[in-house]
Every structure is written in C-alpha cells, then in structure tokens.
PDB file of all heavy atoms in Angstrom:
ATOM      1  N   ASP A 875     132.375  94.733  97.300  1.00 90.00           N
ATOM      2  CA  ASP A 875     132.591  94.656  98.750  1.00 90.00           C
ATOM      3  C   ASP A 875     133.916  93.941  99.019  1.00 90.00           C
ATOM      4  O   ASP A 875     134.014  92.724  98.917  1.00 90.00           O
ATOM      5  CB  ASP A 875     131.437  93.903  99.409  1.00 90.00           C
ATOM      6  CG  ASP A 875     131.536  93.908 100.920  1.00 90.00           C
ATOM      7  OD1 ASP A 875     132.639  94.162 101.467  1.00 90.00           O
ATOM      8  OD2 ASP A 875     130.513  93.656 101.569  1.00 90.00           O
ATOM      9  N   TRP A 876     134.934  94.729  99.340  1.00 86.00           N
ATOM     10  CA  TRP A 876     136.257  94.171  99.652  1.00 86.00           C
ATOM     11  C   TRP A 876     136.398  93.848 101.128  1.00 86.00           C
ATOM     12  O   TRP A 876     137.370  93.205 101.525  1.00 86.00           O
ATOM     13  CB  TRP A 876     137.355  95.157  99.244  1.00 86.00           C
ATOM     14  CG  TRP A 876     137.454  95.350  97.764  1.00 86.00           C
ATOM     15  CD1 TRP A 876     136.991  96.414  97.041  1.00 86.00           C
ATOM     16  CD2 TRP A 876     138.032  94.458  96.818  1.00 86.00           C
ATOM     17  NE1 TRP A 876     137.248  96.243  95.703  1.00 86.00           N
ATOM     18  CE2 TRP A 876     137.895  95.046  95.535  1.00 86.00           C
ATOM     19  CE3 TRP A 876     138.661  93.215  96.916  1.00 86.00           C
ATOM     20  CZ2 TRP A 876     138.358  94.431  94.375  1.00 86.00           C
ATOM     21  CZ3 TRP A 876     139.121  92.617  95.745  1.00 86.00           C
ATOM     22  CH2 TRP A 876     138.972  93.228  94.505  1.00 86.00           C
ATOM     23  N   HIS A 877     135.438  94.266 101.955  1.00 91.00           N
ATOM     24  CA  HIS A 877     135.548  94.051 103.405  1.00 91.00           C
ATOM     25  C   HIS A 877     135.146  92.632 103.813  1.00 91.00           C
ATOM     26  O   HIS A 877     135.701  92.084 104.758  1.00 91.00           O
ATOM     27  CB  HIS A 877     134.706  95.072 104.167  1.00 91.00           C
ATOM     28  CG  HIS A 877     135.122  96.481 103.883  1.00 91.00           C
ATOM     29  ND1 HIS A 877     136.302  97.021 104.332  1.00 91.00           N
ATOM     30  CD2 HIS A 877     134.525  97.450 103.160  1.00 91.00           C
ATOM     31  CE1 HIS A 877     136.420  98.262 103.918  1.00 91.00           C
ATOM     32  NE2 HIS A 877     135.356  98.550 103.190  1.00 91.00           N
ATOM     33  N   ARG A 878     134.196  92.054 103.115  1.00 94.00           N
ATOM     34  CA  ARG A 878     133.730  90.704 103.456  1.00 94.00           C
ATOM     35  C   ARG A 878     134.389  89.628 102.609  1.00 94.00           C
ATOM     36  O   ARG A 878     134.121  88.440 102.804  1.00 94.00           O
ATOM     37  CB  ARG A 878     132.208  90.606 103.283  1.00 94.00           C
ATOM     38  CG  ARG A 878     131.443  91.443 104.286  1.00 94.00           C
ATOM     39  CD  ARG A 878     129.957  91.273 104.104  1.00 94.00           C
ATOM     40  NE  ARG A 878     129.510  92.055 102.953  1.00 94.00           N
ATOM     41  CZ  ARG A 878     128.252  92.107 102.533  1.00 94.00           C
ATOM     42  NH1 ARG A 878     127.319  91.412 103.142  1.00 94.00           N
ATOM     43  NH2 ARG A 878     127.930  92.847 101.495  1.00 94.00           N
ATOM     44  N   GLY A 879     135.206  90.000 101.660  1.00 90.00           N
ATOM     45  CA  GLY A 879     135.852  89.015 100.795  1.00 90.00           C
ATOM     46  C   GLY A 879     136.891  89.683  99.929  1.00 90.00           C
ATOM     47  O   GLY A 879     137.189  90.857 100.090  1.00 90.00           O
ATOM     48  N   GLY A 880     137.436  88.921  98.987  1.00 87.00           N
ATOM     49  CA  GLY A 880     138.492  89.485  98.148  1.00 87.00           C
ATOM     50  C   GLY A 880     138.232  89.327  96.665  1.00 87.00           C
ATOM     51  O   GLY A 880     139.043  88.704  96.027  1.00 87.00           O
ATOM     52  N   PRO A 881     137.199  89.821  96.051  1.00 89.00           N
ATOM     53  CA  PRO A 881     136.045  90.496  96.642  1.00 89.00           C
ATOM     54  C   PRO A 881     134.976  89.499  97.108  1.00 89.00           C
ATOM     55  O   PRO A 881     135.009  88.330  96.752  1.00 89.00           O
ATOM     56  CB  PRO A 881     135.495  91.337  95.491  1.00 89.00           C
ATOM     57  CG  PRO A 881     135.814  90.549  94.276  1.00 89.00           C
ATOM     58  CD  PRO A 881     137.141  89.874  94.582  1.00 89.00           C
ATOM     59  N   TYR A 882     134.045  90.014  97.876  1.00 93.00           N
ATOM     60  CA  TYR A 882     132.936  89.218  98.389  1.00 93.00           C
ATOM     61  C   TYR A 882     132.041  88.757  97.246  1.00 93.00           C
ATOM     62  O   TYR A 882     131.791  89.512  96.300  1.00 93.00           O
ATOM     63  CB  TYR A 882     132.124  90.079  99.363  1.00 93.00           C
ATOM     64  CG  TYR A 882     130.881  89.426  99.912  1.00 93.00           C
ATOM     65  CD1 TYR A 882     130.975  88.403 100.843  1.00 93.00           C
ATOM     66  CD2 TYR A 882     129.620  89.849  99.507  1.00 93.00           C
ATOM     67  CE1 TYR A 882     129.836  87.820 101.358  1.00 93.00           C
ATOM     68  CE2 TYR A 882     128.482  89.267 100.021  1.00 93.00           C
ATOM     69  CZ  TYR A 882     128.591  88.248 100.944  1.00 93.00           C
ATOM     70  OH  TYR A 882     127.466  87.670 101.451  1.00 93.00           O
ATOM     71  N   VAL A 883     131.565  87.520  97.309  1.00 95.00           N
ATOM     72  CA  VAL A 883     130.636  86.985  96.314  1.00 95.00           C
ATOM     73  C   VAL A 883     129.227  87.120  96.876  1.00 95.00           C
ATOM     74  O   VAL A 883     128.892  86.519  97.897  1.00 95.00           O
ATOM     75  CB  VAL A 883     130.951  85.509  95.980  1.00 95.00           C
ATOM     76  CG1 VAL A 883     129.942  84.953  94.990  1.00 95.00           C
ATOM     77  CG2 VAL A 883     132.370  85.369  95.439  1.00 95.00           C
ATOM     78  N   PHE A 884     128.410  87.928  96.206  1.00 96.00           N
ATOM     79  CA  PHE A 884     127.037  88.155  96.658  1.00 96.00           C
ATOM     80  C   PHE A 884     126.195  86.902  96.427  1.00 96.00           C
ATOM     81  O   PHE A 884     126.325  86.224  95.410  1.00 96.00           O
ATOM     82  CB  PHE A 884     126.420  89.353  95.929  1.00 96.00           C
ATOM     83  CG  PHE A 884     127.085  90.647  96.282  1.00 96.00           C
ATOM     84  CD1 PHE A 884     128.007  91.226  95.428  1.00 96.00           C
ATOM     85  CD2 PHE A 884     126.798  91.294  97.482  1.00 96.00           C
ATOM     86  CE1 PHE A 884     128.625  92.422  95.747  1.00 96.00           C
ATOM     87  CE2 PHE A 884     127.412  92.489  97.817  1.00 96.00           C
ATOM     88  CZ  PHE A 884     128.327  93.051  96.943  1.00 96.00           C
ATOM     89  N   THR A 885     125.308  86.618  97.403  1.00 96.00           N
ATOM     90  CA  THR A 885     124.464  85.423  97.360  1.00 96.00           C
ATOM     91  C   THR A 885     122.996  85.823  97.461  1.00 96.00           C
ATOM     92  O   THR A 885     122.661  87.007  97.539  1.00 96.00           O
ATOM     93  CB  THR A 885     124.803  84.480  98.530  1.00 96.00           C
ATOM     94  OG1 THR A 885     124.424  85.113  99.761  1.00 96.00           O
ATOM     95  CG2 THR A 885     126.288  84.137  98.568  1.00 96.00           C
ATOM     96  N   ILE A 886     122.135  84.818  97.519  1.00 96.00           N
ATOM     97  CA  ILE A 886     120.692  85.038  97.685  1.00 96.00           C
ATOM     98  C   ILE A 886     120.423  85.878  98.931  1.00 96.00           C
ATOM     99  O   ILE A 886     119.513  86.702  98.947  1.00 96.00           O
ATOM    100  CB  ILE A 886     119.951  83.679  97.775  1.00 96.00           C
ATOM    101  CG1 ILE A 886     119.975  82.968  96.427  1.00 96.00           C
ATOM    102  CG2 ILE A 886     118.540  83.839  98.287  1.00 96.00           C
ATOM    103  CD1 ILE A 886     119.178  83.657  95.349  1.00 96.00           C
ATOM    104  N   ASN A 887     121.201  85.705  99.957  1.00 97.00           N
ATOM    105  CA  ASN A 887     121.013  86.461 101.206  1.00 97.00           C
ATOM    106  C   ASN A 887     121.282  87.954 101.036  1.00 97.00           C
ATOM    107  O   ASN A 887     120.932  88.752 101.894  1.00 97.00           O
ATOM    108  CB  ASN A 887     121.921  85.911 102.309  1.00 97.00           C
ATOM    109  CG  ASN A 887     121.598  84.476 102.647  1.00 97.00           C
ATOM    110  OD1 ASN A 887     120.452  84.043 102.531  1.00 97.00           O
ATOM    111  ND2 ASN A 887     122.607  83.720 103.048  1.00 97.00           N
ATOM    112  N   ASP A 888     121.907  88.353  99.938  1.00 96.00           N
ATOM    113  CA  ASP A 888     122.273  89.745  99.704  1.00 96.00           C
ATOM    114  C   ASP A 888     121.355  90.464  98.710  1.00 96.00           C
ATOM    115  O   ASP A 888     121.628  91.602  98.328  1.00 96.00           O
ATOM    116  CB  ASP A 888     123.717  89.817  99.180  1.00 96.00           C
ATOM    117  CG  ASP A 888     124.698  89.152 100.116  1.00 96.00           C
ATOM    118  OD1 ASP A 888     124.690  89.497 101.317  1.00 96.00           O
ATOM    119  OD2 ASP A 888     125.462  88.276  99.653  1.00 96.00           O
ATOM    120  N   VAL A 889     120.275  89.827  98.312  1.00 95.00           N
ATOM    121  CA  VAL A 889     119.385  90.408  97.305  1.00 95.00           C
ATOM    122  C   VAL A 889     118.869  91.779  97.742  1.00 95.00           C
ATOM    123  O   VAL A 889     118.868  92.739  96.963  1.00 95.00           O
ATOM    124  CB  VAL A 889     118.220  89.448  96.968  1.00 95.00           C
ATOM    125  CG1 VAL A 889     117.142  90.150  96.158  1.00 95.00           C
ATOM    126  CG2 VAL A 889     118.749  88.231  96.216  1.00 95.00           C
ATOM    127  N   ASP A 890     118.430  91.904  98.994  1.00 95.00           N
ATOM    128  CA  ASP A 890     117.915  93.200  99.468  1.00 95.00           C
ATOM    129  C   ASP A 890     118.995  94.280  99.418  1.00 95.00           C
ATOM    130  O   ASP A 890     118.722  95.411  99.020  1.00 95.00           O
ATOM    131  CB  ASP A 890     117.353  93.083 100.890  1.00 95.00           C
ATOM    132  CG  ASP A 890     116.042  92.313 100.939  1.00 95.00           C
ATOM    133  OD1 ASP A 890     115.357  92.248  99.898  1.00 95.00           O
ATOM    134  OD2 ASP A 890     115.715  91.775 102.013  1.00 95.00           O
ATOM    135  N   GLU A 891     120.211  93.932  99.791  1.00 95.00           N
ATOM    136  CA  GLU A 891     121.328  94.885  99.735  1.00 95.00           C
ATOM    137  C   GLU A 891     121.588  95.332  98.297  1.00 95.00           C
ATOM    138  O   GLU A 891     121.769  96.522  98.029  1.00 95.00           O
ATOM    139  CB  GLU A 891     122.587  94.231 100.309  1.00 95.00           C
ATOM    140  CG  GLU A 891     123.837  95.058 100.200  1.00 95.00           C
ATOM    141  CD  GLU A 891     125.085  94.323 100.670  1.00 95.00           C
ATOM    142  OE1 GLU A 891     124.978  93.249 101.296  1.00 95.00           O
ATOM    143  OE2 GLU A 891     126.177  94.837 100.388  1.00 95.00           O
ATOM    144  N   LEU A 892     121.574  94.391  97.385  1.00 95.00           N
ATOM    145  CA  LEU A 892     121.812  94.726  95.979  1.00 95.00           C
ATOM    146  C   LEU A 892     120.670  95.551  95.397  1.00 95.00           C
ATOM    147  O   LEU A 892     120.906  96.475  94.616  1.00 95.00           O
ATOM    148  CB  LEU A 892     122.042  93.448  95.166  1.00 95.00           C
ATOM    149  CG  LEU A 892     123.336  92.705  95.496  1.00 95.00           C
ATOM    150  CD1 LEU A 892     123.339  91.316  94.871  1.00 95.00           C
ATOM    151  CD2 LEU A 892     124.551  93.493  95.064  1.00 95.00           C
ATOM    152  N   LYS A 893     119.443  95.246  95.793  1.00 93.00           N
ATOM    153  CA  LYS A 893     118.288  96.027  95.317  1.00 93.00           C
ATOM    154  C   LYS A 893     118.386  97.483  95.763  1.00 93.00           C
ATOM    155  O   LYS A 893     118.011  98.391  95.026  1.00 93.00           O
ATOM    156  CB  LYS A 893     116.976  95.428  95.833  1.00 93.00           C
ATOM    157  CG  LYS A 893     116.490  94.252  95.046  1.00 93.00           C
ATOM    158  CD  LYS A 893     115.132  93.805  95.554  1.00 93.00           C
ATOM    159  CE  LYS A 893     114.547  92.726  94.691  1.00 93.00           C
ATOM    160  NZ  LYS A 893     113.181  92.375  95.123  1.00 93.00           N
ATOM    161  N   LYS A 894     118.908  97.702  96.964  1.00 93.00           N
ATOM    162  CA  LYS A 894     119.056  99.074  97.478  1.00 93.00           C
ATOM    163  C   LYS A 894     120.040  99.888  96.635  1.00 93.00           C
ATOM    164  O   LYS A 894     120.006 101.104  96.654  1.00 93.00           O
ATOM    165  CB  LYS A 894     119.521  99.057  98.934  1.00 93.00           C
ATOM    166  CG  LYS A 894     118.465  98.608  99.901  1.00 93.00           C
ATOM    167  CD  LYS A 894     119.010  98.566 101.315  1.00 93.00           C
ATOM    168  CE  LYS A 894     117.995  97.939 102.247  1.00 93.00           C
ATOM    169  NZ  LYS A 894     118.541  97.728 103.594  1.00 93.00           N
ATOM    170  N   ASN A 895     120.907  99.210  95.927  1.00 91.00           N
ATOM    171  CA  ASN A 895     121.921  99.900  95.124  1.00 91.00           C
ATOM    172  C   ASN A 895     121.548 100.036  93.651  1.00 91.00           C
ATOM    173  O   ASN A 895     122.334 100.563  92.869  1.00 91.00           O
ATOM    174  CB  ASN A 895     123.265  99.193  95.268  1.00 91.00           C
ATOM    175  CG  ASN A 895     123.901  99.506  96.594  1.00 91.00           C
ATOM    176  OD1 ASN A 895     124.353 100.625  96.799  1.00 91.00           O
ATOM    177  ND2 ASN A 895     123.909  98.550  97.502  1.00 91.00           N
ATOM    178  N   LEU A 896     120.346  99.595  93.288  1.00 89.00           N
ATOM    179  CA  LEU A 896     119.866  99.809  91.917  1.00 89.00           C
ATOM    180  C   LEU A 896     119.644 101.298  91.691  1.00 89.00           C
ATOM    181  O   LEU A 896     119.167 102.008  92.573  1.00 89.00           O
ATOM    182  CB  LEU A 896     118.548  99.066  91.684  1.00 89.00           C
ATOM    183  CG  LEU A 896     118.625  97.563  91.468  1.00 89.00           C
ATOM    184  CD1 LEU A 896     117.217  96.976  91.371  1.00 89.00           C
ATOM    185  CD2 LEU A 896     119.423  97.218  90.234  1.00 89.00           C
ATOM    186  N   ASN A 897     120.003 101.772  90.520  1.00 87.00           N
ATOM    187  CA  ASN A 897     119.794 103.179  90.134  1.00 87.00           C
ATOM    188  C   ASN A 897     120.473 104.162  91.088  1.00 87.00           C
ATOM    189  O   ASN A 897     119.930 105.217  91.395  1.00 87.00           O
ATOM    190  CB  ASN A 897     118.300 103.481  90.016  1.00 87.00           C
ATOM    191  CG  ASN A 897     117.650 102.633  88.957  1.00 87.00           C
ATOM    192  OD1 ASN A 897     118.216 102.438  87.888  1.00 87.00           O
ATOM    193  ND2 ASN A 897     116.488 102.110  89.250  1.00 87.00           N
ATOM    194  N   THR A 898     121.654 103.798  91.554  1.00 87.00           N
ATOM    195  CA  THR A 898     122.458 104.691  92.391  1.00 87.00           C
ATOM    196  C   THR A 898     123.694 105.091  91.588  1.00 87.00           C
ATOM    197  O   THR A 898     123.652 105.115  90.371  1.00 87.00           O
ATOM    198  CB  THR A 898     122.856 103.999  93.713  1.00 87.00           C
ATOM    199  OG1 THR A 898     123.661 102.847  93.420  1.00 87.00           O
ATOM    200  CG2 THR A 898     121.626 103.579  94.516  1.00 87.00           C
ATOM    201  N   ASN A 899     124.792 105.351  92.269  1.00 82.00           N
ATOM    202  CA  ASN A 899     126.035 105.730  91.591  1.00 82.00           C
ATOM    203  C   ASN A 899     126.775 104.539  90.987  1.00 82.00           C
ATOM    204  O   ASN A 899     127.845 104.713  90.420  1.00 82.00           O
ATOM    205  CB  ASN A 899     126.962 106.456  92.559  1.00 82.00           C
ATOM    206  CG  ASN A 899     126.412 107.797  92.964  1.00 82.00           C
ATOM    207  OD1 ASN A 899     125.655 108.412  92.225  1.00 82.00           O
ATOM    208  ND2 ASN A 899     126.766 108.255  94.139  1.00 82.00           N
ATOM    209  N   TYR A 900     126.228 103.344  91.139  1.00 82.00           N
ATOM    210  CA  TYR A 900     126.886 102.146  90.620  1.00 82.00           C
ATOM    211  C   TYR A 900     126.188 101.653  89.361  1.00 82.00           C
ATOM    212  O   TYR A 900     124.962 101.595  89.290  1.00 82.00           O
ATOM    213  CB  TYR A 900     126.870 101.026  91.671  1.00 82.00           C
ATOM    214  CG  TYR A 900     127.561 101.413  92.942  1.00 82.00           C
ATOM    215  CD1 TYR A 900     126.824 101.687  94.090  1.00 82.00           C
ATOM    216  CD2 TYR A 900     128.938 101.525  93.003  1.00 82.00           C
ATOM    217  CE1 TYR A 900     127.456 102.048  95.269  1.00 82.00           C
ATOM    218  CE2 TYR A 900     129.577 101.886  94.175  1.00 82.00           C
ATOM    219  CZ  TYR A 900     128.830 102.146  95.304  1.00 82.00           C
ATOM    220  OH  TYR A 900     129.465 102.498  96.459  1.00 82.00           O
ATOM    221  N   ALA A 901     126.966 101.291  88.359  1.00 80.00           N
ATOM    222  CA  ALA A 901     126.413 100.736  87.126  1.00 80.00           C
ATOM    223  C   ALA A 901     126.431  99.206  87.159  1.00 80.00           C
ATOM    224  O   ALA A 901     125.667  98.567  86.454  1.00 80.00           O
ATOM    225  CB  ALA A 901     127.211 101.230  85.923  1.00 80.00           C
ATOM    226  N   PHE A 902     127.305  98.632  87.987  1.00 83.00           N
ATOM    227  CA  PHE A 902     127.473  97.188  88.051  1.00 83.00           C
ATOM    228  C   PHE A 902     127.717  96.751  89.485  1.00 83.00           C
ATOM    229  O   PHE A 902     128.172  97.544  90.300  1.00 83.00           O
ATOM    230  CB  PHE A 902     128.689  96.731  87.223  1.00 83.00           C
ATOM    231  CG  PHE A 902     128.662  97.199  85.804  1.00 83.00           C
ATOM    232  CD1 PHE A 902     129.325  98.354  85.429  1.00 83.00           C
ATOM    233  CD2 PHE A 902     127.974  96.487  84.844  1.00 83.00           C
ATOM    234  CE1 PHE A 902     129.306  98.792  84.117  1.00 83.00           C
ATOM    235  CE2 PHE A 902     127.942  96.922  83.535  1.00 83.00           C
ATOM    236  CZ  PHE A 902     128.606  98.071  83.166  1.00 83.00           C
ATOM    237  N   ALA A 903     127.446  95.469  89.749  1.00 87.00           N
ATOM    238  CA  ALA A 903     127.824  94.849  91.013  1.00 87.00           C
ATOM    239  C   ALA A 903     128.818  93.740  90.683  1.00 87.00           C
ATOM    240  O   ALA A 903     128.658  93.024  89.710  1.00 87.00           O
ATOM    241  CB  ALA A 903     126.614  94.264  91.735  1.00 87.00           C
ATOM    242  N   ARG A 904     129.833  93.623  91.484  1.00 86.00           N
ATOM    243  CA  ARG A 904     130.830  92.590  91.289  1.00 86.00           C
ATOM    244  C   ARG A 904     130.894  91.768  92.552  1.00 86.00           C
ATOM    245  O   ARG A 904     130.991  92.329  93.636  1.00 86.00           O
ATOM    246  CB  ARG A 904     132.196  93.205  91.017  1.00 86.00           C
ATOM    247  CG  ARG A 904     133.225  92.137  90.745  1.00 86.00           C
ATOM    248  CD  ARG A 904     134.567  92.747  90.376  1.00 86.00           C
ATOM    249  NE  ARG A 904     135.502  91.700  90.093  1.00 86.00           N
ATOM    250  CZ  ARG A 904     136.727  91.656  90.561  1.00 86.00           C
ATOM    251  NH1 ARG A 904     137.185  92.609  91.318  1.00 86.00           N
ATOM    252  NH2 ARG A 904     137.517  90.669  90.255  1.00 86.00           N
ATOM    253  N   LYS A 905     130.825  90.731  92.557  1.00 90.00           N
ATOM    254  CA  LYS A 905     130.757  89.404  92.071  1.00 90.00           C
ATOM    255  C   LYS A 905     129.390  88.809  92.358  1.00 90.00           C
ATOM    256  O   LYS A 905     129.107  88.458  93.491  1.00 90.00           O
ATOM    257  CB  LYS A 905     131.784  88.550  92.742  1.00 90.00           C
ATOM    258  CG  LYS A 905     133.194  88.751  92.294  1.00 90.00           C
ATOM    259  CD  LYS A 905     133.834  87.429  92.236  1.00 90.00           C
ATOM    260  CE  LYS A 905     135.184  87.409  91.728  1.00 90.00           C
ATOM    261  NZ  LYS A 905     135.626  86.480  90.844  1.00 90.00           N
ATOM    262  N   VAL A 906     128.598  88.669  91.364  1.00 92.00           N
ATOM    263  CA  VAL A 906     127.316  87.975  91.451  1.00 92.00           C
ATOM    264  C   VAL A 906     127.431  86.803  90.489  1.00 92.00           C
ATOM    265  O   VAL A 906     127.433  86.993  89.282  1.00 92.00           O
ATOM    266  CB  VAL A 906     126.138  88.885  91.053  1.00 92.00           C
ATOM    267  CG1 VAL A 906     124.824  88.138  91.139  1.00 92.00           C
ATOM    268  CG2 VAL A 906     126.112  90.133  91.919  1.00 92.00           C
ATOM    269  N   VAL A 907     127.552  85.591  91.042  1.00 92.00           N
ATOM    270  CA  VAL A 907     127.785  84.429  90.180  1.00 92.00           C
ATOM    271  C   VAL A 907     126.559  83.528  90.053  1.00 92.00           C
ATOM    272  O   VAL A 907     126.488  82.731  89.132  1.00 92.00           O
ATOM    273  CB  VAL A 907     129.007  83.606  90.667  1.00 92.00           C
ATOM    274  CG1 VAL A 907     130.280  84.433  90.553  1.00 92.00           C
ATOM    275  CG2 VAL A 907     128.813  83.115  92.085  1.00 92.00           C
ATOM    276  N   ASP A 908     125.609  83.677  90.950  1.00 93.00           N
ATOM    277  CA  ASP A 908     124.412  82.843  90.931  1.00 93.00           C
ATOM    278  C   ASP A 908     123.309  83.540  90.130  1.00 93.00           C
ATOM    279  O   ASP A 908     122.840  84.615  90.526  1.00 93.00           O
ATOM    280  CB  ASP A 908     123.952  82.592  92.366  1.00 93.00           C
ATOM    281  CG  ASP A 908     122.746  81.683  92.477  1.00 93.00           C
ATOM    282  OD1 ASP A 908     122.133  81.345  91.449  1.00 93.00           O
ATOM    283  OD2 ASP A 908     122.406  81.308  93.617  1.00 93.00           O
TER     284      ASP A 908
END
C-alpha cells in the first residue's frame, strides 16, 4: 500500500484487510513488522 505510506506498515488494525488478500493474486504482503 503506497497510498497510506511509503510503503504503509500494516498493523493489528489491518488484520481483516490482510486476511481478505490471502490466496489471491498476491504471494506476499509488504510491510508487516509486528
């Protein structure tokens, strides 16, 4: 996500968003540090 950051760092608040992208066209999510 380049719109919310450079790139945006996903947090606990973004878990539902990240779950929606499991098994889609993406193999990885960038930046998940927690």
Side-chain angles (χ1 to χ4, degrees):
D875 186 341
W876 293 103
H877 301 289
R878 292 182 283 180
Y882 176 72
V883 178
F884 294 101
T885 67
I886 290 293
N887 298 330
D888 304 308
V889 168
D890 288 337
E891 175 185 348
L892 292 168
K893 279 185 174 185
K894 288 178 188 173
N895 284 289
L896 283 175
N897 299 318
T898 62
N899 292 333
Y900 301 107
F902 306 95
R904 183 176 182 226
K905 285 219 176 224
V906 179
V907 296
D908 183 352

